[in-house]
Amino acid sequence: MNCHDYWRHGWRRHIGRCLVGAGAAVGSLLVALSAVPAQDYPSRAVRVIVPYPAGGTADAMPRLIGDWLTRKWGHPVVIENRTGAGGNIGAETAFKAEPDGYTLMATPPAPLVINQNLYPKLGYDPLGFEPIVVVIRVPNALVVNPRLPAKTVPEFIEYARANPGKITSATQGIGTTSHLTSELFALIAKVKFQNVPYRGSAPALTDLVSSNVDIMFDNLGVSLALVKGGQLRLLGVATRKRMAALPDVPAIAEFLPGFESAAWYAFAAPPKTPARIIAKLNADINEALRDPNILARFAELSAEAVGGTPAETAAYFREEVERWNNVIKAAGVKLE
């Protein structure tokens, strides 16, 4: 090889190394940028699909957060209730939407971590959503129609054992935390209920107040107001110990050790939504969770603010899949 050839091939090798190095640098830059919130988002209205009807906590939470984001962004956040099939209709609509950040889903657990272990076939992949953040957690509770003779949890268990299969238990729908909490109670207390599924809390509570059903394991977000108004009776909360806000209401675990159940409400986005948009949504919603006015409104719903990163949210979703699947298997829950 002559001098000319040496320098020519040497420069080629040098340029090749530079290009490889530049490629690695660009890749690292893109990874870094993906974690930076998108400052130019949103530039128009954002639609939030709620797979349950208006009137319950599943609807109240995104409306509170949506109003806050509307003021921050200067663009409207529009809530769209798409109900049916245990939340699957709304979830499928959100899952198949364009992954551009302009369609999101706000939901309780069922469409994200329960339905994949209950329904034989879904039109979407629950764990395929891009997790944004868990906003709030609300304890479930046992509320009954006042005409029911039982006034305490032990009295209710005794009454249920004396009337197997006769007590009607309203649920937010098949596979919801309301449904699975009812099944878990029946399993531990050795009683049997006749479950009556509805499309969310609001219609179920309407029938409970109207004496069309007997009991419900509902989150306290909406039902507590009905208890305070004398329309329902609260027998116990599904927490490890008594709630500070309700010191006179026993924890069901005082009578059924280990009984605990809470509903949570989260935001998620369609698969392949850009990481920068997810980061922006996560940052802004976490900011909302530090607003004293938002926290005060959540307190009215007996809700605890959660927050966290998308990675923490994804890990929590995976844990919840396993937890509720264990309940489904233990209680032998099947679609009716």
Side-chain angles (χ1 to χ4, degrees), residues 31-327:
V31 170
L33 286 175
S34 69
V36 177
Q39 299 304 323
D40 57 346
Y41 166 86
S43 59
R44 54 185 172 86
V46 174
R47 176 178 66 152
V48 177
I49 292 177
V50 177
Y52 295 94
T57 308
D59 180 73
M61 181 279 288
R63 290 188 187 276
L64 285 173
I65 294 296
D67 287 346
W68 191 94
L69 292 174
T70 294
R71 293 191 297 273
K72 178 178 178 63
W73 292 341
H75 297 287
V77 175
V78 181
I79 306 301
E80 182 178 317
N81 301 91
R82 289 283 190 97
T83 68
N88 291 332
I89 291 175
E92 183 174 349
T93 301
F95 187 85
K96 294 179 178 179
E98 286 295 319
D100 55 8
Y102 291 96
T103 297
L104 309 173
M105 180 172 72
T107 182
L112 290 171
V113 302
I114 294 174
N115 290 353
Q116 58 266 59
N117 290 316
L118 197 57
Y119 289 80
K121 185 178 181 181
L122 296 174
Y124 67 99
D125 175 11
L127 292 182
F129 281 100
E130 301 291 345
I132 299 172
V133 67
V134 175
V135 179
I136 55 173
R137 186 181 294 111
V138 188
N140 285 314
L142 172 57
V143 289
V144 305
N145 185 283
R147 67 178 174 78
L148 207 69
K151 292 181 172 59
T152 66
V153 173
E155 286 180 6
F156 174 72
I157 293 173
E158 182 180 357
Y159 179 78
R161 286 174 178 169
N163 296 275
K166 294 181 181 179
I167 295 175
T168 50
S169 177
T171 74
Q172 301 153 348
I174 295 173
T176 58
T177 56
S178 173
H179 174 208
L180 296 185
T181 303
S182 176
E183 295 282 7
L184 183 62
F185 184 97
L187 178 70
I188 297 176
K190 297 180 174 58
V191 298
K192 185 175 178 58
F193 301 135
Q194 182 181 341
N195 283 303
V196 183
Y198 290 82
R199 289 189 175 187
S201 287
L205 288 171
T206 297
D207 268 10
L208 181 59
V209 168
S210 301
S211 301
N212 293 325
V213 286
D214 300 316
I215 71 167
M216 185 175 182
F217 289 87
D218 189 36
N219 69 76
L220 287 171
V222 176
S223 56
L224 187 58
L226 298 173
V227 171
K228 291 179 177 179
Q231 296 166 282
L232 295 177
R233 180 185 299 142
L234 173 59
L235 298 189
V237 291
T239 51
R240 292 181 185 177
K241 57 183 181 179
R242 297 191 182 204
M243 296 174 61
L246 299 169
D248 295 329
V249 179
I252 297 173
E254 294 175 23
F255 314 103
L256 299 176
F259 185 84
E260 184 179 2
S261 175
W264 47 260
Y265 301 84
F267 277 89
K272 299 183 180 178
T273 298
R276 294 183 69 197
I277 290 178
I278 298 297
K280 167 73 170 173
L281 289 163
N282 177 269
D284 288 352
I285 294 173
N286 273 296
E287 183 182 344
L289 295 180
R290 295 189 291 271
D291 185 321
N293 294 322
I294 289 290
L295 294 177
R297 294 295 302 277
F298 283 158
E300 294 172 4
L301 297 173
S302 302
E304 168 197 10
V306 180
T309 67
E312 291 168 339
T313 304
Y316 182 68
F317 285 177
R318 290 191 293 271
E319 292 171 3
E320 285 287 278
V321 170
E322 182 177 0
R323 189 169 82 88
W324 287 113
N325 189 35
N326 289 338
V327 174

